[in-house]
Amino acid sequence: MDKQTYVKLLLIHVGIGILLYLFRPLSFVFAHGTILLGLVWVFRNRNANHEALMVAAYIVGSELLVKMTKGYFLWEYAKYGIILVMLLGIYYKGFSRSAIAIWIFGILLLPGIFIGMIESGSDPRMRQSIIFNILGPVTLLVISIYCYMRNLSINQLMNVLLVLGLPIVSCLVYSILYTPDLKEILVHTGSNFGTSGGYGPNQVATFFGLGMFIFFVRAIFASTTTWLVLLNLGIAFLFAYRALLTFSRGGLITGILMVLFFLFFTFTKGSSKVKLKISFLVSILVMGMLAVWIYTTMLTGGLIEKRYKNQDALGREKQSVFSGRERIAISEIQMFLENPVFGSGVGSGYKYRQEHFDVSIASHNELTRMLGEHGLLGILGILILILTPLVLYLDNKQHFFLLSFLLFWFLTLNHTAMRVAAPAFIYALTLLKINIHEIPIVYWKQALQTKQQSLNDRNVEPATATGGV
């Protein structure tokens, strides 16, 4: 993708964020138009170039923005749309017959669904709870079947990540415009809805951490000029800054770990020149994050530092390290102990906490939810999901995003469950078969060569050239 097209796409999505802030009813048109036009695009092209995966990526990236602006007439509309697009893609492209492990995972979900339906009886709230809890794993199942050992080039994967990241830029813009005067809302160290676009800070931080990773990677792999390198790094650090302001820790920590895993993996696979550039990138990352941290600390009057120390606004240590989520996890462990084989049934956790803990709240941890509602079958299902990409990696060592993607999925499950489709989609990307001939970090080398050639064409001595990396 050339520089002008890339900048235009960024500006368009900055504009989308502004428009949805100024006129929120447009969100309905944006949300449903995206899915409808996406289906038409896949249908007309018969998914010849993985259009289904691109459309699904865009729906995933825009889900949070549309929920912020209340653009869906069904709360889980994004997941329904993703499943439909992926099924259409499977219809045209087929699927791998060797995806046995993924099919087994799907089969292991069935007993918990049946038990949940029996236990729910005619209670509509319980049936809604079943749909809410099972739709995430089902979305993961369908996308994974599509992605399992499907061949993609590194450029195609980078395009998928860009399509995923662009609507997150719109979400970033919306949250900035939505944020009131910080002096009025920064009065405690709890998660802050005011700096999160009025939506759940935990999920907003998750998306911003993912956005930080996507644009940091673009600074390495898809920046053919120094200007693009600086632009992408600037966007990445802006995501980090806004993630900090949500006062929700999980998303930012996950994003930073993704970047570090990615840099380590690339470092071990690269030549000596690549390793030198990676070392330079690490220094940029450290200095950039340090600058973001210092600025945010000053802006919040030290509250963000207290948040990460698990202190309240007065500097007193909080009783709960995980903002009360451990109570939910304990209830799900007790559910497992009472029904260890098949679990208590999908959707039963909400009712169980009402009866035994007097807490009306959905699960924040997909791992303990699978444990409590699916029992030993749930544990087996999670193990299958963890081990499958690691086993595939033995014959897929060029997929150097794999560990970062798997890390995002696993850590996100631990603090926000599968309330959004992002962890399901990112997990499925670990199953792709990526083919590359050399680490694309050489794009920077190409950028320097292009710049030097331009200087030569102007009769400028190469020794006077400055800038670049």
Side-chain angles (χ1 to χ4, degrees):
M1 181 182 296
D2 62 86
K3 180 174 68 174
Q4 290 184 343
T5 302
Y6 177 59
V7 173
K8 286 179 182 178
L9 287 173
L10 285 174
L11 291 176
I12 287 171
H13 284 83
V14 169
I16 289 173
I18 295 172
L19 281 175
L20 294 187
Y21 173 75
L22 295 175
F23 193 61
R24 287 179 58 172
L26 282 176
S27 180
F28 182 88
V29 179
F30 172 74
H32 299 86
T34 295
I35 296 176
L36 180 60
L37 292 176
L39 286 169
V40 172
W41 187 42
V42 176
F43 179 78
R44 291 187 62 180
N45 291 279
R46 303 178 68 86
N47 198 35
N49 297 299
H50 303 292
E51 287 85 358
L53 194 61
M54 301 286 280
V55 174
Y58 196 82
I59 298 172
V60 169
S62 60
E63 181 182 8
L64 189 67
L65 175 64
V66 178
K67 285 185 173 180
M68 277 181 173
T69 51
K70 297 179 171 56
Y72 293 136
F73 67 86
L74 289 176
W75 192 246
E76 300 295 349
Y77 191 75
K79 291 174 184 171
Y80 289 122
I82 292 164
I83 291 172
L84 186 58
V85 169
M86 286 285 93
L87 288 176
L88 186 59
I90 291 171
Y91 173 76
Y92 286 121
K93 281 284 189 178
F95 59 87
S96 174
R97 295 182 179 179
S98 61
I100 299 173
I102 303 302
W103 285 108
I104 292 175
F105 168 74
I107 293 172
L108 292 174
L109 297 175
L110 295 177
I113 297 174
F114 291 142
I115 294 172
M117 293 177 65
I118 293 171
E119 292 294 328
S120 67
S122 58
D123 187 346
R125 292 175 301 176
M126 285 297 295
R127 291 186 177 275
Q128 289 176 358
S129 183
I130 291 173
I131 295 173
F132 176 80
N133 284 290
I134 202 61
L135 205 53
V138 170
T139 304
L140 182 148
L141 174 68
V142 176
I143 307 175
S144 296
I145 289 172
Y146 178 89
C147 289
Y148 192 91
M149 294 306 287
R150 193 173 296 276
N151 284 286
L152 254 70
S153 68
I154 185 63
N155 287 333
Q156 287 175 316
L157 180 57
M158 289 299 297
N159 286 336
V160 169
L161 290 177
L162 175 60
V163 170
L164 173 63
L166 286 172
I168 305 180
V169 171
S170 302
C171 186
L172 175 70
V173 172
Y174 179 89
S175 70
I176 292 173
L177 295 175
Y178 181 93
T179 303
D181 186 355
L182 291 178
K183 293 180 180 179
E184 296 179 3
I185 60 174
L186 295 179
V187 295
H188 57 77
T189 60
S191 296
N192 199 306
F193 283 78
T195 56
S196 305
Y199 196 71
N202 191 27
Q203 295 176 43
V204 174
T206 296
F207 270 73
F208 287 177
L210 180 59
M212 181 188 72
F213 172 79
I214 290 172
F215 285 93
F216 190 86
V217 168
R218 288 198 66 81
I220 303 172
F221 280 2
S223 297
T224 54
T225 66
T226 304
W227 185 86
L228 280 179
V229 172
L230 296 176
L231 173 64
N232 286 313
L233 285 176
I235 296 172
F237 288 128
L238 181 57
F239 270 120
Y241 163 65
R242 293 302 304 191
L244 271 175
L245 280 185
T246 66
F247 279 71
S248 184
R249 297 162 290 188
L252 180 61
I253 292 172
T254 298
I256 293 173
L257 289 176
M258 287 178 73
V259 170
L260 292 176
F261 267 66
F262 169 76
L263 290 175
F264 174 78
F265 190 90
T266 310
F267 184 88
T268 59
K269 296 293 181 181
S271 63
S272 57
K273 291 183 178 179
V274 170
K275 289 179 178 178
L276 181 62
K277 291 176 182 177
I278 293 296
S279 300
F280 177 75
L281 281 169
V282 171
S283 65
I284 289 179
L285 177 65
V286 172
M287 289 188 294
M289 290 305 300
L290 182 61
V292 169
W293 175 262
I294 292 173
Y295 177 74
T296 309
T297 300
M298 293 173 60
L299 189 68
T300 62
L303 287 178
I304 191 64
E305 185 176 353
K306 292 177 181 177
R307 170 61 171 169
Y308 278 76
K309 288 181 178 180
N310 196 44
Q311 297 175 346
D312 62 17
L314 298 178
R316 298 171 299 192
E317 187 172 355
K318 296 182 180 179
Q319 293 182 350
S320 173
V321 178
F322 303 105
S323 303
R325 292 189 182 95
E326 60 271 22
R327 292 186 63 194
I328 304 173
I330 290 171
S331 72
E332 288 163 339
I333 292 172
Q334 290 184 358
M335 288 166 57
F336 168 72
L337 296 175
E338 294 175 10
N339 301 276
V341 180
F342 297 108
S344 299
V346 177
S348 61
Y350 188 86
K351 183 178 179 181
Y352 185 90
R353 282 184 287 276
Q354 279 185 321
E355 295 177 350
H356 295 82
F357 288 79
D358 195 27
V359 175
S360 301
I361 189 170
S363 179
H364 279 71
N365 190 314
E366 190 69 13
L367 302 181
T368 56
R369 188 201 68 78
M370 288 284 288
L371 181 69
E373 298 187 358
H374 295 269
L376 290 172
L377 299 184
I379 297 176
L380 182 58
I382 291 294
L383 288 175
I384 288 174
L385 293 180
I386 294 173
L387 294 175
T388 298
L390 296 178
V391 172
L392 292 179
Y393 172 71
L394 298 176
D395 190 41
N396 193 22
K397 293 185 178 179
Q398 292 185 326
H399 192 344
F400 43 84
F401 288 91
L402 190 149
L403 291 179
S404 292
F405 288 165
L406 189 62
L407 185 71
F408 174 83
W409 167 76
F410 185 79
L411 293 181
T412 301
L413 293 192
N414 276 277
H415 66 85
T416 193
M418 296 187 72
R419 299 185 177 193
V420 290
F425 183 80
I426 295 297
Y427 173 83
L429 297 183
T430 68
L431 306 177
L432 293 168
K433 178 75 172 178
I434 304 300
N435 295 306
I436 60 173
H437 299 292
E438 60 179 337
I439 294 179
I441 200 168
V442 296
Y443 287 168
W444 283 21
K445 180 181 178 182
Q446 293 171 359
L448 291 177
Q449 290 173 341
T450 301
K451 183 173 183 178
Q452 186 177 39
Q453 182 62 45
S454 176
L455 291 170
N456 289 338
D457 292 342
R458 298 177 187 177
N459 296 319
V460 178
E461 290 297 327
T464 64
T466 59
V469 179

